[in-house]
Amino acid sequence: MIELTIIIAALVFIFTAVLTSRPMYTFSMENYSKRVTTQYGFRVADLHYSYDQMIYFISLPTTLPYIKEAVKEELIIEQDYSSFLYPELKGIKITLEHDGEKLYLAYLPIGNFRLPHLDKLQQEGKIDEAAYLKISTTKLLHPDTLQEVRDEVFKQLQVGRY
């Protein structure tokens, strides 16, 4: 009976840890970012960013009819984490489901998600690479930013890069 209790307790602990790890990761990134941005007098929401490092897996603009005819709401944004237990955001994937298969359209690695204001602070020695990464992660995980990324990918699919 004691063994069963220990096994159930361990399973509940692991299950709880897995379910709360990503929300806690996001919470800690937001909390850290709020402290740093308050210290330097800006808000994460006000930061501008660049799409230049977005990696596209198809040619732009595309001539594939099922992509050309897709509506913006059909583009799915997935967050790419390194693991379940100790998650770390690696980037975001933009996919489109076609005939039951996921078609990867674009990927934005977190290391390539550049924010000019943070570049300036890093150049001045006010923040280090770890702080830059935490603040850029907070910006990338924000729902408004994710919507803007979806809009940009959709525009690139329809119009092209240049």
Side-chain angles (χ1 to χ4, degrees), residues 37-133:
T37 57
T38 301
Q39 179 181 355
Y40 292 109
F42 65 94
R43 295 178 336 138
V44 172
D46 297 334
L47 292 173
H48 299 284
Y49 49 90
S50 171
Y51 299 108
D52 293 340
Q53 299 301 318
M54 178 93 60
I55 300 165
Y56 288 91
F57 300 116
I58 58 172
S59 61
L60 298 174
T62 185
T63 56
L64 298 171
Y66 55 89
I67 296 175
K68 196 78 168 162
E69 295 167 2
V71 294
K72 192 183 319 179
E73 290 72 27
E74 292 178 327
L75 297 180
I76 301 165
I77 296 183
E78 300 175 21
Q79 298 162 356
D80 184 22
Y81 288 96
S82 59
S83 71
F84 280 107
L85 205 48
Y86 298 107
E88 211 171 292
L89 185 70
K90 296 189 309 186
I92 58 170
K93 299 182 257 188
I94 297 87
T95 61
L96 178 67
E97 193 165 318
H98 177 69
D99 290 336
E101 290 185 26
K102 280 187 181 178
L103 176 64
Y104 289 97
L105 302 175
Y107 186 79
L108 179 59
I110 188 64
N112 292 354
F113 186 62
R114 305 309 297 178
L115 303 145
H117 188 70
L118 295 183
D119 287 335
K120 180 181 172 215
L121 290 176
Q122 188 178 21
Q123 183 68 27
E124 294 170 354
K126 294 181 179 177
I127 62 171
D128 59 4
E129 186 65 29
Y132 191 115
L133 187 61

Side-chain angles (χ1 to χ4, degrees), residues 15-28:
F15 185 70
T16 303
V18 168
L19 283 180
T20 61
S21 60
R22 288 186 184 175
M24 291 306 291
Y25 171 76
T26 303
F27 175 75
S28 68

